[in-house]
mmCIF file of all heavy atoms in Angstrom:
data_model
loop_
_atom_site.group_PDB
_atom_site.id
_atom_site.type_symbol
_atom_site.label_atom_id
_atom_site.label_comp_id
_atom_site.label_asym_id
_atom_site.label_seq_id
_atom_site.Cartn_x
_atom_site.Cartn_y
_atom_site.Cartn_z
ATOM 1 N N PRO S 257 0.239 16.961 3.073
ATOM 2 C CA PRO S 257 0.310 18.280 2.248
ATOM 3 C C PRO S 257 1.700 18.513 1.792
ATOM 4 O O PRO S 257 2.034 18.737 0.702
ATOM 5 C CB PRO S 257 -0.165 19.241 3.175
ATOM 6 C CG PRO S 257 -0.926 18.606 4.187
ATOM 7 C CD PRO S 257 -0.487 17.179 4.324
ATOM 8 N N THR S 261 3.166 18.477 -2.014
ATOM 9 C CA THR S 261 3.752 19.626 -2.664
ATOM 10 C C THR S 261 5.121 19.292 -3.313
ATOM 11 O O THR S 261 5.277 19.620 -4.475
ATOM 12 C CB THR S 261 4.005 20.653 -1.630
ATOM 13 O OG1 THR S 261 2.817 20.720 -0.785
ATOM 14 C CG2 THR S 261 4.316 21.999 -2.253
ATOM 15 N N ARG S 281 7.408 32.977 -5.350
ATOM 16 C CA ARG S 281 7.461 32.455 -3.899
ATOM 17 C C ARG S 281 8.936 32.312 -3.351
ATOM 18 O O ARG S 281 9.139 32.898 -2.348
ATOM 19 C CB ARG S 281 6.830 31.043 -3.920
ATOM 20 C CG ARG S 281 6.689 30.481 -2.556
ATOM 21 C CD ARG S 281 5.655 29.356 -2.358
ATOM 22 N NE ARG S 281 4.288 30.095 -2.221
ATOM 23 C CZ ARG S 281 3.249 29.311 -1.778
ATOM 24 N NH1 ARG S 281 3.293 28.030 -1.665
ATOM 25 N NH2 ARG S 281 2.068 29.953 -1.602
ATOM 26 N N VAL S 301 23.229 49.486 15.226
ATOM 27 C CA VAL S 301 23.878 50.860 15.336
ATOM 28 C C VAL S 301 23.358 51.638 16.546
ATOM 29 O O VAL S 301 24.143 52.459 17.106
ATOM 30 C CB VAL S 301 23.437 51.618 14.049
ATOM 31 C CG1 VAL S 301 23.981 50.999 12.822
ATOM 32 C CG2 VAL S 301 21.985 51.847 13.995
ATOM 33 N N TYR S 302 22.147 51.181 17.050
ATOM 34 C CA TYR S 302 21.715 51.912 18.345
ATOM 35 C C TYR S 302 21.953 50.900 19.573
ATOM 36 O O TYR S 302 22.534 51.374 20.589
ATOM 37 C CB TYR S 302 20.207 52.267 18.269
ATOM 38 C CG TYR S 302 19.742 52.609 19.631
ATOM 39 C CD1 TYR S 302 20.046 53.932 20.165
ATOM 40 C CD2 TYR S 302 18.814 51.765 20.374
ATOM 41 C CE1 TYR S 302 19.623 54.302 21.351
ATOM 42 C CE2 TYR S 302 18.441 52.227 21.704
ATOM 43 C CZ TYR S 302 18.821 53.465 22.126
ATOM 44 O OH TYR S 302 18.339 53.872 23.394
ATOM 45 N N SER S 306 29.263 48.560 18.683
ATOM 46 C CA SER S 306 30.566 47.936 18.328
ATOM 47 C C SER S 306 30.352 46.702 17.469
ATOM 48 O O SER S 306 31.355 46.371 16.746
ATOM 49 C CB SER S 306 31.181 47.474 19.591
ATOM 50 O OG SER S 306 31.544 48.554 20.487
ATOM 51 N N ARG S 316 30.753 42.326 3.118
ATOM 52 C CA ARG S 316 31.906 42.642 2.048
ATOM 53 C C ARG S 316 32.565 41.345 1.619
ATOM 54 O O ARG S 316 33.291 41.439 0.596
ATOM 55 C CB ARG S 316 32.842 43.621 2.735
ATOM 56 C CG ARG S 316 32.278 44.974 3.092
ATOM 57 C CD ARG S 316 33.307 45.731 3.792
ATOM 58 N NE ARG S 316 32.694 47.028 4.220
ATOM 59 C CZ ARG S 316 33.087 47.669 5.200
ATOM 60 N NH1 ARG S 316 34.229 47.311 6.079
ATOM 61 N NH2 ARG S 316 32.472 48.869 5.651
ATOM 62 N N GLU S 324 24.459 39.222 -2.747
ATOM 63 C CA GLU S 324 23.772 40.458 -2.869
ATOM 64 C C GLU S 324 23.344 40.825 -4.324
ATOM 65 O O GLU S 324 22.367 41.377 -4.580
ATOM 66 C CB GLU S 324 24.537 41.606 -2.349
ATOM 67 C CG GLU S 324 24.722 41.618 -0.985
ATOM 68 C CD GLU S 324 25.992 42.262 -0.269
ATOM 69 O OE1 GLU S 324 26.546 43.152 -0.943
ATOM 70 O OE2 GLU S 324 26.571 41.809 0.720
ATOM 71 N N VAL S 331 14.834 40.999 -5.600
ATOM 72 C CA VAL S 331 13.828 42.071 -5.220
ATOM 73 C C VAL S 331 13.248 42.727 -6.532
ATOM 74 O O VAL S 331 12.021 42.951 -6.495
ATOM 75 C CB VAL S 331 14.600 43.208 -4.513
ATOM 76 C CG1 VAL S 331 13.807 44.432 -4.222
ATOM 77 C CG2 VAL S 331 15.177 42.722 -3.208
ATOM 78 N N ASP S 345 -4.915 40.886 -11.695
ATOM 79 C CA ASP S 345 -6.115 40.754 -10.696
ATOM 80 C C ASP S 345 -7.022 41.852 -10.666
ATOM 81 O O ASP S 345 -8.240 41.742 -10.748
ATOM 82 C CB ASP S 345 -5.541 40.685 -9.337
ATOM 83 C CG ASP S 345 -5.191 39.242 -8.939
ATOM 84 O OD1 ASP S 345 -5.506 38.348 -9.812
ATOM 85 O OD2 ASP S 345 -4.626 39.011 -7.815
ATOM 86 N N LEU S 371 16.284 45.482 -15.801
ATOM 87 C CA LEU S 371 16.488 46.422 -14.719
ATOM 88 C C LEU S 371 17.603 46.000 -13.715
ATOM 89 O O LEU S 371 18.216 46.764 -13.099
ATOM 90 C CB LEU S 371 15.173 46.463 -13.928
ATOM 91 C CG LEU S 371 13.968 47.058 -14.634
ATOM 92 C CD1 LEU S 371 12.663 47.071 -13.820
ATOM 93 C CD2 LEU S 371 14.341 48.606 -14.931
ATOM 94 N N GLY S 375 22.960 47.194 -12.400
ATOM 95 C CA GLY S 375 23.282 47.140 -11.067
ATOM 96 C C GLY S 375 24.142 45.943 -10.846
ATOM 97 O O GLY S 375 25.241 46.065 -10.076
ATOM 98 N N MET S 379 27.952 46.036 -9.285
ATOM 99 C CA MET S 379 28.347 45.248 -8.023
ATOM 100 C C MET S 379 29.442 44.276 -8.257
ATOM 101 O O MET S 379 30.378 44.104 -7.488
ATOM 102 C CB MET S 379 27.099 44.476 -7.543
ATOM 103 C CG MET S 379 26.072 45.504 -6.963
ATOM 104 S SD MET S 379 24.514 44.762 -6.630
ATOM 105 C CE MET S 379 24.805 43.971 -5.161
ATOM 106 N N HIS S 386 37.498 45.664 -4.977
ATOM 107 C CA HIS S 386 37.738 45.737 -3.564
ATOM 108 C C HIS S 386 38.390 44.450 -2.992
ATOM 109 O O HIS S 386 39.179 44.338 -2.102
ATOM 110 C CB HIS S 386 36.498 46.047 -2.649
ATOM 111 C CG HIS S 386 36.017 47.481 -2.873
ATOM 112 N ND1 HIS S 386 36.744 48.656 -2.300
ATOM 113 C CD2 HIS S 386 35.043 48.027 -3.633
ATOM 114 C CE1 HIS S 386 36.192 49.755 -2.645
ATOM 115 N NE2 HIS S 386 35.040 49.345 -3.390
ATOM 116 N N ASN S 387 37.854 43.231 -3.569
ATOM 117 C CA ASN S 387 38.292 41.960 -2.889
ATOM 118 C C ASN S 387 39.352 41.412 -3.717
ATOM 119 O O ASN S 387 40.042 40.509 -3.138
ATOM 120 C CB ASN S 387 37.076 40.991 -2.895
ATOM 121 C CG ASN S 387 35.923 41.539 -1.898
ATOM 122 O OD1 ASN S 387 36.111 42.629 -1.370
ATOM 123 N ND2 ASN S 387 34.990 40.713 -1.779
ATOM 124 N N TRP W 287 -5.820 40.544 1.107
ATOM 125 C CA TRP W 287 -5.573 40.322 -0.195
ATOM 126 C C TRP W 287 -5.275 41.598 -0.927
ATOM 127 O O TRP W 287 -4.339 41.806 -1.811
ATOM 128 C CB TRP W 287 -6.692 39.518 -0.936
ATOM 129 C CG TRP W 287 -6.603 39.147 -2.341
ATOM 130 C CD1 TRP W 287 -5.979 38.086 -2.850
ATOM 131 C CD2 TRP W 287 -6.929 39.881 -3.447
ATOM 132 N NE1 TRP W 287 -5.994 38.026 -4.242
ATOM 133 C CE2 TRP W 287 -6.666 39.239 -4.620
ATOM 134 C CE3 TRP W 287 -7.776 41.129 -3.557
ATOM 135 C CZ2 TRP W 287 -7.106 39.647 -5.789
ATOM 136 C CZ3 TRP W 287 -8.112 41.543 -4.886
ATOM 137 C CH2 TRP W 287 -7.698 40.775 -6.039
ATOM 138 N N ARG W 291 -1.617 43.588 -2.530
ATOM 139 C CA ARG W 291 -1.390 44.207 -3.788
ATOM 140 C C ARG W 291 -0.999 45.647 -3.674
ATOM 141 O O ARG W 291 -0.128 46.153 -4.416
ATOM 142 C CB ARG W 291 -2.631 44.031 -4.649
ATOM 143 C CG ARG W 291 -2.650 42.639 -5.328
ATOM 144 C CD ARG W 291 -3.943 41.976 -5.329
ATOM 145 N NE ARG W 291 -3.658 40.611 -5.831
ATOM 146 C CZ ARG W 291 -3.321 39.563 -5.082
ATOM 147 N NH1 ARG W 291 -2.939 39.803 -3.740
ATOM 148 N NH2 ARG W 291 -3.013 38.335 -5.593
ATOM 149 N N TRP W 302 13.191 49.166 -4.330
ATOM 150 C CA TRP W 302 14.124 49.203 -5.343
ATOM 151 C C TRP W 302 14.983 50.315 -5.122
ATOM 152 O O TRP W 302 16.340 50.217 -5.320
ATOM 153 C CB TRP W 302 13.381 49.438 -6.638
ATOM 154 C CG TRP W 302 12.812 48.199 -7.095
ATOM 155 C CD1 TRP W 302 12.646 46.925 -6.410
ATOM 156 C CD2 TRP W 302 12.088 47.816 -8.381
ATOM 157 N NE1 TRP W 302 11.907 46.019 -7.177
ATOM 158 C CE2 TRP W 302 11.622 46.684 -8.367
ATOM 159 C CE3 TRP W 302 11.870 48.676 -9.460
ATOM 160 C CZ2 TRP W 302 11.004 45.978 -9.428
ATOM 161 C CZ3 TRP W 302 11.139 48.058 -10.574
ATOM 162 C CH2 TRP W 302 10.762 46.800 -10.611
ATOM 163 N N TYR W 306 19.055 49.763 -4.623
ATOM 164 C CA TYR W 306 19.977 50.410 -5.710
ATOM 165 C C TYR W 306 20.998 51.513 -5.035
ATOM 166 O O TYR W 306 22.119 51.536 -5.272
ATOM 167 C CB TYR W 306 19.227 51.018 -6.826
ATOM 168 C CG TYR W 306 19.389 50.299 -8.103
ATOM 169 C CD1 TYR W 306 18.479 49.232 -8.589
ATOM 170 C CD2 TYR W 306 20.552 50.395 -8.971
ATOM 171 C CE1 TYR W 306 18.596 48.534 -9.653
ATOM 172 C CE2 TYR W 306 20.774 49.628 -10.010
ATOM 173 C CZ TYR W 306 19.742 48.761 -10.380
ATOM 174 O OH TYR W 306 20.016 47.963 -11.554
ATOM 175 N N ASP W 309 23.143 49.363 -2.119
ATOM 176 C CA ASP W 309 24.022 48.142 -2.489
ATOM 177 C C ASP W 309 24.804 48.402 -3.773
ATOM 178 O O ASP W 309 25.885 47.801 -4.165
ATOM 179 C CB ASP W 309 23.152 46.986 -2.557
ATOM 180 C CG ASP W 309 23.914 45.747 -2.126
ATOM 181 O OD1 ASP W 309 25.039 45.882 -1.584
ATOM 182 O OD2 ASP W 309 23.363 44.532 -2.327
ATOM 183 N N VAL W 314 28.631 48.152 -0.087
ATOM 184 C CA VAL W 314 28.814 47.772 1.248
ATOM 185 C C VAL W 314 30.237 48.108 1.669
ATOM 186 O O VAL W 314 30.455 48.229 2.916
ATOM 187 C CB VAL W 314 28.581 46.230 1.485
ATOM 188 C CG1 VAL W 314 27.159 46.001 1.553
ATOM 189 C CG2 VAL W 314 29.272 45.368 0.448
ATOM 190 N N HIS W 315 31.222 48.480 0.761
ATOM 191 C CA HIS W 315 32.560 48.787 1.226
ATOM 192 C C HIS W 315 32.572 50.249 1.905
ATOM 193 O O HIS W 315 33.387 50.561 2.525
ATOM 194 C CB HIS W 315 33.541 48.623 0.060
ATOM 195 C CG HIS W 315 33.866 47.208 -0.095
ATOM 196 N ND1 HIS W 315 34.835 46.576 0.577
ATOM 197 C CD2 HIS W 315 33.362 46.304 -0.887
ATOM 198 C CE1 HIS W 315 34.855 45.322 0.157
ATOM 199 N NE2 HIS W 315 33.945 45.135 -0.716
ATOM 200 N N ILE W 317 29.869 51.584 3.480
ATOM 201 C CA ILE W 317 28.905 51.633 4.521
ATOM 202 C C ILE W 317 29.588 51.414 5.854
ATOM 203 O O ILE W 317 30.202 50.357 6.062
ATOM 204 C CB ILE W 317 27.676 50.738 4.336
ATOM 205 C CG1 ILE W 317 26.913 51.263 3.007
ATOM 206 C CG2 ILE W 317 26.728 50.756 5.488
ATOM 207 C CD1 ILE W 317 25.742 50.261 2.718
ATOM 208 N N ASP W 356 -0.746 27.090 2.735
ATOM 209 C CA ASP W 356 -0.560 26.148 1.724
ATOM 210 C C ASP W 356 -0.262 24.749 2.222
ATOM 211 O O ASP W 356 -0.482 23.817 1.583
ATOM 212 C CB ASP W 356 0.279 26.566 0.568
ATOM 213 C CG ASP W 356 -0.468 27.541 -0.364
ATOM 214 O OD1 ASP W 356 -1.634 27.789 -0.177
ATOM 215 O OD2 ASP W 356 0.264 27.899 -1.317
ATOM 216 N N TYR W 357 0.505 24.779 3.298
ATOM 217 C CA TYR W 357 1.075 23.459 3.793
ATOM 218 C C TYR W 357 0.362 22.975 5.040
ATOM 219 O O TYR W 357 0.470 21.709 5.478
ATOM 220 C CB TYR W 357 2.523 23.534 4.108
ATOM 221 C CG TYR W 357 3.253 24.139 2.767
ATOM 222 C CD1 TYR W 357 3.974 25.296 2.835
ATOM 223 C CD2 TYR W 357 3.223 23.391 1.690
ATOM 224 C CE1 TYR W 357 4.571 25.736 1.708
ATOM 225 C CE2 TYR W 357 4.086 23.773 0.533
ATOM 226 C CZ TYR W 357 4.624 24.986 0.604
ATOM 227 O OH TYR W 357 5.156 25.478 -0.449
ATOM 228 N N HIS W 359 -3.099 22.702 7.046
ATOM 229 C CA HIS W 359 -4.624 22.680 6.856
ATOM 230 C C HIS W 359 -5.412 22.561 8.097
ATOM 231 O O HIS W 359 -6.666 23.013 8.006
ATOM 232 C CB HIS W 359 -5.046 21.570 5.917
ATOM 233 C CG HIS W 359 -4.365 21.658 4.577
ATOM 234 N ND1 HIS W 359 -4.655 22.651 3.610
ATOM 235 C CD2 HIS W 359 -3.220 21.160 3.958
ATOM 236 C CE1 HIS W 359 -3.914 22.629 2.532
ATOM 237 N NE2 HIS W 359 -2.989 21.658 2.737
ATOM 238 N N MET W 388 15.941 56.228 17.531
ATOM 239 C CA MET W 388 17.000 56.676 18.397
ATOM 240 C C MET W 388 18.206 57.053 17.600
ATOM 241 O O MET W 388 19.084 57.797 18.079
ATOM 242 C CB MET W 388 17.264 55.644 19.443
ATOM 243 C CG MET W 388 16.071 55.204 20.253
ATOM 244 S SD MET W 388 15.287 56.493 21.105
ATOM 245 C CE MET W 388 16.531 56.778 22.391
ATOM 246 N N ARG W 391 24.694 55.265 17.344
ATOM 247 C CA ARG W 391 25.513 55.821 18.514
ATOM 248 C C ARG W 391 27.104 55.461 18.213
ATOM 249 O O ARG W 391 27.685 54.755 19.011
ATOM 250 C CB ARG W 391 25.112 55.331 19.843
ATOM 251 C CG ARG W 391 23.573 55.765 20.142
ATOM 252 C CD ARG W 391 23.264 55.452 21.455
ATOM 253 N NE ARG W 391 23.134 53.933 21.724
ATOM 254 C CZ ARG W 391 22.847 53.396 22.934
ATOM 255 N NH1 ARG W 391 22.684 54.167 24.063
ATOM 256 N NH2 ARG W 391 22.742 52.174 23.135
ATOM 257 N N GLN W 396 33.931 50.773 20.550
ATOM 258 C CA GLN W 396 35.262 50.711 21.188
ATOM 259 C C GLN W 396 36.136 49.786 20.393
ATOM 260 O O GLN W 396 35.617 48.890 19.739
ATOM 261 C CB GLN W 396 35.225 50.266 22.560
ATOM 262 C CG GLN W 396 33.674 50.253 23.066
ATOM 263 C CD GLN W 396 33.441 49.122 24.067
ATOM 264 O OE1 GLN W 396 34.207 48.158 24.227
ATOM 265 N NE2 GLN W 396 32.341 49.316 24.807
#
Side-chain angles (χ1 to χ4, degrees):
Chain S
T261 314
R281 181 159 278 193
V301 298
Y302 172 71
S306 299
R316 294 178 187 149
E324 285 152 35
V331 176
D345 268 359
L371 291 175
M379 290 166 84
H386 291 286
N387 294 6
Chain W
W287 179 86
R291 275 137 192 83
W302 285 5
Y306 249 97
D309 216 7
V314 281
H315 286 270
I317 293 176
D356 275 0
Y357 305 115
H359 297 284
M388 306 303 285
R391 296 190 290 179
Q396 349 148 341

